[in-house]
Amino acid sequence: MLCLMLVCGTLVIQVGSPENPAPPDLARFANGDEVMVTGHVIREGTWQEKDLGEEVQRIDVETEQIVDEGSAAPVRAGLRISIFNQDVRKRPADANMTDIFRYGERIRFPVKLSLPRNFRDPGAFNYVGYLAENGVNALGSIKVGELEILPGFSGSRFELWRTRLHRSLIGKIHTLWPPEQAALIDTIMLGDETFIGKATRTNFQRTGTYHVLVVSGLKVGILALVMFWLLRKLRVNDFVASGITVFFTVSYAVLTDVGAPVWRATLMLIFYLAARLLYRERSILNTIGGAALVLLMVNPSQLFGASFQLSFLCVLVIGGIGAPILERTSKQVSRALRNLDSTTYDLALSPKLVQLRLDLRMIAARLKRFLGDTVTLPTIALVGRGIVIVGDFVFISVLLQAGFVLPMAFYFHRATIVSLPANIVVVPLTELIMVAAGAAISFGYVSAAVAKLPAFVTAIALRATGATVHWMGNLRIADARVPTPELWVGLAACGALVLAMILVRSRPLFMAASLAVVAATAIWISFVPPRPEFHAGVLEVTAIDVGQGDSILLVFPQGRTLLIDAGGLPSWMHSDLDIGEDVVSPYLWSRGISRLDMVAITHAHADHLGGMPAVLSNFRPRELWLGVDSPSPELQRVVQLAKGLRIPVILHFAGEGFEMGGASVRILAPVERPDIELARPNDTSLVMKVSYKATSALLEGDAERKEENLVSQEEPHADLLKVAHHGSATSTAADFLAAVHPRFAVISVGARNLYGHPRKEVLDRLAQRRIGTYRTDTNGAVSFFLDGKNVIPEVLDRR
């Protein structure tokens, strides 16, 4: 059977196609021109308030037809459309907090489509692949008044009923609890994160309790356990109880529609219950392995996904290490605590356990002298079993914490140091929330009065959960970020887990030694930073792909680091993406960088400083450099954060020069003067020239002609030029290029940006001088290595 699964899986790999590949003719409609799309809604959205008086709703649409310049083409593609309502008062009167564009509705709207794009940096998230897995091939945004609802229905009737039930449950939740609590219940019960704020999500991540916010194996396990326990209490036989439990679990997986994680857990439950019916309860690893093989046969690419690995690592750690240890330790004590008053039962136990029972009887007899008949052997047994259960929970939590250190560091760059105490509190509360909230929602459809009691219990558990996560998430120790572990460390951590699975059934000394190795690798990953990937003895200048923005990493010959700008998005883009957290930091972590020596902000524009708060928090640099301490609110927020983190803020002006890390730094702009004009931040850009022996790089920020004219008088000759202002026509004049006379140039610019950067005239001037030009929109991240004699460019993205 297993061989057949492997053969089928291999066949799927050979003949399988990429998930939801984009139609080949879709690209011609995503050229920046407006097209008219006719389609139907396949995934509903909800209205979310963004700015004062403005809200947005995101829906997924399957296209039926696209019209471009009068010609119609039948195109089947998935679009994710953001619908903006700039005046909440104009929202249709019958719209509620769920949605107005529902599954199956046919709609028509004009839109400028864009193909999704990954940031082409090492360590970057595969955004295109993520969208493709969800059936999305292109993106667009429109105003609510531009959308026309057409007659008719298109889609699956089954999906229509599922979405209606899901929408009804969301509505019921928001009638039973206030908005903040309802948002948490939406997420915990149904996996709907629409109303969860970023701060709340971050605190759950910091405390290692993010699994509470997602519909995962934990939720499936809780529901299945409660259902099966109730059925057995009602004296339903094993076969029927298992069948009913599977039915309700599958129904829950269909209702939540959160994809692979919940289906993995459901499949594992089915395998486990089937094995239990066949009297194979002890073969948990075999049943889970069978579930894994089935999943890989259906979709082999899951093997490389973080969710798949975390799910099965959890089961392997518990089933392969935790369960055997508990079987040899606490389970034996639990057996000894049964029938304490029965001396006949002593004959079935080992001498050590019999001695424990004798000791407990003696303790009970002595306590009776002081406390009377209130102390009985059953009472002592109950207390003992409680202590054993708590001990088991703490042990498994510690074991999981140690086992999860590697994937948490590799995928999420977090050392969840407070995970153990947080989960000890939050996991039992989550079990209570699942049961009480489920009862409240069910009763809510019958009687609001009856639903009040379980809703009240849920509210208390939610407050306790929220308070725990908020308090622990705001502790300084909870915000521990770690770089990608070195290969040998990762292999050692994997080897330690395998060794522990082998030795847990051997002698106690070997078992303890294997657990010590697991603990040692976990501590190493959490607290010992890896060796950064630097080229010794050269000056490195790397332009990180941050889209339409700037972020330049300098690594000096002696290993010191300087990050100039950290990208960012303007507020009008209404994006939840944090360039500093989601783009710049992963790249630095992929290089093994855990601390920056200096960071610099060239000027007060969002596309240069927007990502800096995350960089300051994640890498705690020793200095923050500025050219001008502008009163810009965005810049002042960064400055205040730096002061709160005790990072010195240093102003640099033209004329300064100093040695750093084996290279020399010369500040060429801005000029220090009291009448400096702050209305044009570009004219106050921090411009510096960094030299190593006979090679140098000129880094301009967004300097325009006025500032470039000043720079031209300061011997700006350099081998490498970071082209100013993303290749705008306001910079990089011919006479300036003549003064710099670079051999290479790099332009940090976003693909298909709204500004038309880089300008053709700038590219022509660079080409006329035969300057080797690299662009982050076409080349991705690019590194230049200045060894004192030559400049060696290297494109980091190999795609």
Side-chain angles (χ1 to χ4, degrees), residues 241-508:
S242 299
I244 295 175
T245 301
V246 169
F247 172 78
F248 276 99
T249 305
V250 171
S251 300
Y252 179 69
V254 171
L255 177 64
T256 56
D257 190 35
V258 295
V262 69
W263 282 112
R264 276 198 298 271
T266 302
L267 185 61
M268 286 190 285
L269 173 71
I270 293 172
F271 268 68
Y272 176 76
L273 289 176
R276 186 179 182 280
L277 290 174
L278 296 173
Y279 305 101
R280 294 293 186 268
E281 292 180 77
R282 297 180 184 273
S283 303
I284 180 172
L285 292 182
N286 289 337
T287 59
I288 299 309
L293 282 174
V294 171
L295 290 168
L296 293 177
M297 182 180 68
V298 174
N299 182 9
S301 63
Q302 289 187 75
L303 179 62
F304 304 101
S307 178
F308 180 92
Q309 293 174 16
L310 288 171
S311 296
F312 282 95
L313 178 60
C314 175
V315 176
L316 286 174
V317 169
I318 295 175
I321 303 177
I325 291 176
L326 295 181
E327 188 65 35
R328 297 177 58 179
T329 54
S330 64
K331 295 299 181 185
Q332 300 294 328
V333 175
S334 294
R335 294 189 186 99
L337 292 173
R338 299 174 186 170
N339 306 316
L340 273 180
D341 52 355
S342 171
T343 56
T344 306
Y345 185 65
D346 293 352
L347 301 176
L349 301 173
S350 65
K352 289 184 178 180
L353 296 179
V354 173
Q355 184 61 52
L356 172 63
R357 292 165 62 85
L358 293 173
D359 292 340
L360 292 176
R361 290 169 188 156
M362 291 176 60
I363 292 172
R366 293 187 178 183
L367 288 176
K368 278 187 177 181
R369 297 179 184 177
F370 304 99
L371 302 177
D373 293 336
T374 56
V375 177
T376 62
L377 284 176
T379 304
I380 291 178
L382 182 63
V383 172
R385 281 195 291 269
I387 294 173
V388 169
I389 291 172
V390 172
D392 288 352
F393 181 75
V394 172
F395 171 73
I396 292 297
S397 297
V398 172
L399 191 61
L400 284 174
Q401 172 77 0
F404 272 31
V405 164
L406 177 62
M408 289 297 294
F410 186 83
Y411 290 111
F412 309 110
H413 302 287
R414 289 190 180 275
T416 50
I417 297 172
V418 299
S419 173
L420 177 59
N423 276 287
I424 288 175
V425 176
V426 169
V427 170
L429 288 172
T430 302
E431 296 175 3
L432 179 59
I433 290 169
M434 290 288 292
V435 175
I441 296 169
S442 301
F443 292 147
Y445 283 99
V446 179
S447 169
V450 178
K452 284 184 178 180
L453 178 59
F456 177 72
V457 173
T458 304
I460 293 175
L462 281 172
R463 290 193 190 99
T465 299
T468 302
V469 171
H470 177 76
W471 178 68
M472 291 190 176
N474 283 283
L475 294 175
R476 171 76 179 271
I477 195 174
D479 200 24
R481 309 305 297 270
V482 294
T484 304
E486 295 175 273
L487 177 61
W488 72 268
V489 176
L491 293 175
C494 294
L497 289 175
V498 173
L499 181 67
M501 290 181 193
I502 295 173
L503 296 182
V504 289
R505 293 176 175 83
S506 60
R507 296 180 180 179

Side-chain angles (χ1 to χ4, degrees), residues 33 39 42 64 116 119 121 203 212 292-293 343 402 439 458 483 529 596 619-620 639 651 662 700 769:
D33 296 333
I42 57 175
E64 300 169 6
F119 291 96
D121 304 306
N203 279 336
V212 170
L293 282 174
T343 56
T458 304
L596 290 168
F619 296 93
R620 307 297 169 103
V639 170
L651 299 179
E700 288 197 273
R769 291 187 169 274

Side-chain angles (χ1 to χ4, degrees), residues 37-42 59-65 76 100-109 147-155 160:
V37 172
T38 301
H40 54 273
V41 179
I42 57 175
I59 61 174
D60 290 354
V61 175
E62 183 178 314
T63 62
E64 300 169 6
Q65 175 182 273
R76 293 284 180 178
I100 59 173
F101 305 110
R102 300 183 177 179
Y103 176 83
E105 283 186 331
R106 299 184 66 249
I107 55 178
R108 181 165 56 217
F109 52 90
L147 190 146
E148 175 187 1
I149 298 180
L150 303 176
F153 170 85
S154 182
L160 175 64

